[in-house]
Amino acid sequence: GVFLTLFYVWVIAIVICSFGILMHSRKAGPIDPDATDKRPDILDRLPPKLRSADIYAISAEDHYVRIHTSLGDEMVLMRLSDAIKETSPLIGEKTHRSWWVAEIGVEKVHRQNGKTQIKLKNDVIVPVSRSGQKQIKEAGWL
């Protein structure tokens, strides 16, 4: 009685653990060799004339985000957090609660009147918060 019940519990536990390990290893999987060639999904939200541009930064304005590119900027109805998710595989940092900056967009980082700012390659000035300073310092931008 008791040993048979324990045996069944043991078998079921092994099956469940094996299934969990199998699913986890499939999710982690090998690194996609094409990932470096992947375009950021957010480019598909832009008008055709901007889809070949480099993304420099994204700023939040009310319920919209402004996507700053090498060919101009465009407003898109979405949350900043969702827009940031769609920038992958670009490397960038959230420099302020309403700004995300791509590393390729940075012209220079400078301090003015005690505040750190980033000048983008399109001459847009981006504010950097105190927590943003920590982020850009860790990223090696400062």
Side-chain angles (χ1 to χ4, degrees), residues 1-11:
V2 172
F3 290 111
L4 191 59
T5 304
L6 287 175
F7 176 75
Y8 285 135
V9 167
W10 180 77
V11 169

mmCIF file of all heavy atoms in Angstrom, residues 1-11:
data_model
loop_
_atom_site.group_PDB
_atom_site.id
_atom_site.type_symbol
_atom_site.label_atom_id
_atom_site.label_comp_id
_atom_site.label_asym_id
_atom_site.label_seq_id
_atom_site.Cartn_x
_atom_site.Cartn_y
_atom_site.Cartn_z
ATOM 1 N N GLY A 1 0.761 -1.181 0.000
ATOM 2 C CA GLY A 1 0.000 0.000 0.000
ATOM 3 C C GLY A 1 0.821 1.275 0.000
ATOM 4 O O GLY A 1 0.844 1.997 -0.988
ATOM 5 N N VAL A 2 1.514 1.557 1.102
ATOM 6 C CA VAL A 2 2.207 2.830 1.253
ATOM 7 C C VAL A 2 3.378 2.933 0.265
ATOM 8 O O VAL A 2 3.573 3.960 -0.371
ATOM 9 C CB VAL A 2 2.722 3.012 2.704
ATOM 10 C CG1 VAL A 2 3.603 4.237 2.825
ATOM 11 C CG2 VAL A 2 1.565 3.075 3.677
ATOM 12 N N PHE A 3 4.130 1.801 0.123
ATOM 13 C CA PHE A 3 5.285 1.837 -0.787
ATOM 14 C C PHE A 3 4.860 1.989 -2.238
ATOM 15 O O PHE A 3 5.528 2.673 -3.014
ATOM 16 C CB PHE A 3 6.135 0.568 -0.607
ATOM 17 C CG PHE A 3 6.849 0.543 0.718
ATOM 18 C CD1 PHE A 3 6.494 -0.364 1.699
ATOM 19 C CD2 PHE A 3 7.860 1.458 0.995
ATOM 20 C CE1 PHE A 3 7.127 -0.372 2.923
ATOM 21 C CE2 PHE A 3 8.509 1.457 2.215
ATOM 22 C CZ PHE A 3 8.138 0.538 3.187
ATOM 23 N N LEU A 4 3.730 1.370 -2.608
ATOM 24 C CA LEU A 4 3.223 1.497 -3.977
ATOM 25 C C LEU A 4 2.813 2.947 -4.251
ATOM 26 O O LEU A 4 3.121 3.499 -5.312
ATOM 27 C CB LEU A 4 2.034 0.548 -4.196
ATOM 28 C CG LEU A 4 1.572 0.386 -5.636
ATOM 29 C CD1 LEU A 4 2.700 -0.148 -6.516
ATOM 30 C CD2 LEU A 4 0.379 -0.564 -5.712
ATOM 31 N N THR A 5 2.169 3.594 -3.286
ATOM 32 C CA THR A 5 1.770 4.990 -3.428
ATOM 33 C C THR A 5 3.009 5.878 -3.566
ATOM 34 O O THR A 5 3.069 6.762 -4.431
ATOM 35 C CB THR A 5 0.932 5.441 -2.215
ATOM 36 O OG1 THR A 5 -0.180 4.580 -2.074
ATOM 37 C CG2 THR A 5 0.457 6.881 -2.377
ATOM 38 N N LEU A 6 4.028 5.666 -2.726
ATOM 39 C CA LEU A 6 5.266 6.442 -2.809
ATOM 40 C C LEU A 6 5.961 6.226 -4.151
ATOM 41 O O LEU A 6 6.516 7.157 -4.734
ATOM 42 C CB LEU A 6 6.214 6.078 -1.669
ATOM 43 C CG LEU A 6 5.811 6.600 -0.283
ATOM 44 C CD1 LEU A 6 6.769 6.072 0.789
ATOM 45 C CD2 LEU A 6 5.808 8.114 -0.267
ATOM 46 N N PHE A 7 5.919 4.972 -4.650
ATOM 47 C CA PHE A 7 6.521 4.687 -5.952
ATOM 48 C C PHE A 7 5.828 5.496 -7.051
ATOM 49 O O PHE A 7 6.490 6.106 -7.893
ATOM 50 C CB PHE A 7 6.438 3.178 -6.259
ATOM 51 C CG PHE A 7 6.944 2.833 -7.629
ATOM 52 C CD1 PHE A 7 8.313 2.823 -7.900
ATOM 53 C CD2 PHE A 7 6.068 2.538 -8.655
ATOM 54 C CE1 PHE A 7 8.780 2.522 -9.156
ATOM 55 C CE2 PHE A 7 6.526 2.235 -9.924
ATOM 56 C CZ PHE A 7 7.895 2.228 -10.180
ATOM 57 N N TYR A 8 4.491 5.532 -7.038
ATOM 58 C CA TYR A 8 3.746 6.296 -8.049
ATOM 59 C C TYR A 8 4.051 7.798 -7.944
ATOM 60 O O TYR A 8 4.216 8.484 -8.951
ATOM 61 C CB TYR A 8 2.240 6.059 -7.929
ATOM 62 C CG TYR A 8 1.800 4.705 -8.456
ATOM 63 C CD1 TYR A 8 0.909 3.914 -7.740
ATOM 64 C CD2 TYR A 8 2.260 4.227 -9.676
ATOM 65 C CE1 TYR A 8 0.495 2.685 -8.220
ATOM 66 C CE2 TYR A 8 1.857 2.998 -10.164
ATOM 67 C CZ TYR A 8 0.977 2.227 -9.429
ATOM 68 O OH TYR A 8 0.581 1.015 -9.909
ATOM 69 N N VAL A 9 4.123 8.329 -6.730
ATOM 70 C CA VAL A 9 4.448 9.738 -6.525
ATOM 71 C C VAL A 9 5.842 10.028 -7.084
ATOM 72 O O VAL A 9 6.066 11.024 -7.766
ATOM 73 C CB VAL A 9 4.362 10.116 -5.023
ATOM 74 C CG1 VAL A 9 4.989 11.481 -4.763
ATOM 75 C CG2 VAL A 9 2.924 10.088 -4.557
ATOM 76 N N TRP A 10 6.796 9.118 -6.818
ATOM 77 C CA TRP A 10 8.162 9.270 -7.305
ATOM 78 C C TRP A 10 8.200 9.278 -8.842
ATOM 79 O O TRP A 10 8.835 10.133 -9.444
ATOM 80 C CB TRP A 10 9.017 8.125 -6.740
ATOM 81 C CG TRP A 10 10.455 8.170 -7.172
ATOM 82 C CD1 TRP A 10 11.423 8.979 -6.697
ATOM 83 C CD2 TRP A 10 11.059 7.362 -8.180
ATOM 84 N NE1 TRP A 10 12.616 8.734 -7.339
ATOM 85 C CE2 TRP A 10 12.413 7.731 -8.261
ATOM 86 C CE3 TRP A 10 10.604 6.351 -9.007
ATOM 87 C CZ2 TRP A 10 13.295 7.138 -9.148
ATOM 88 C CZ3 TRP A 10 11.481 5.753 -9.885
ATOM 89 C CH2 TRP A 10 12.818 6.159 -9.956
ATOM 90 N N VAL A 11 7.483 8.344 -9.486
ATOM 91 C CA VAL A 11 7.445 8.267 -10.952
ATOM 92 C C VAL A 11 6.839 9.546 -11.532
ATOM 93 O O VAL A 11 7.380 10.132 -12.483
ATOM 94 C CB VAL A 11 6.657 7.022 -11.428
ATOM 95 C CG1 VAL A 11 6.393 7.084 -12.927
ATOM 96 C CG2 VAL A 11 7.415 5.752 -11.071
#
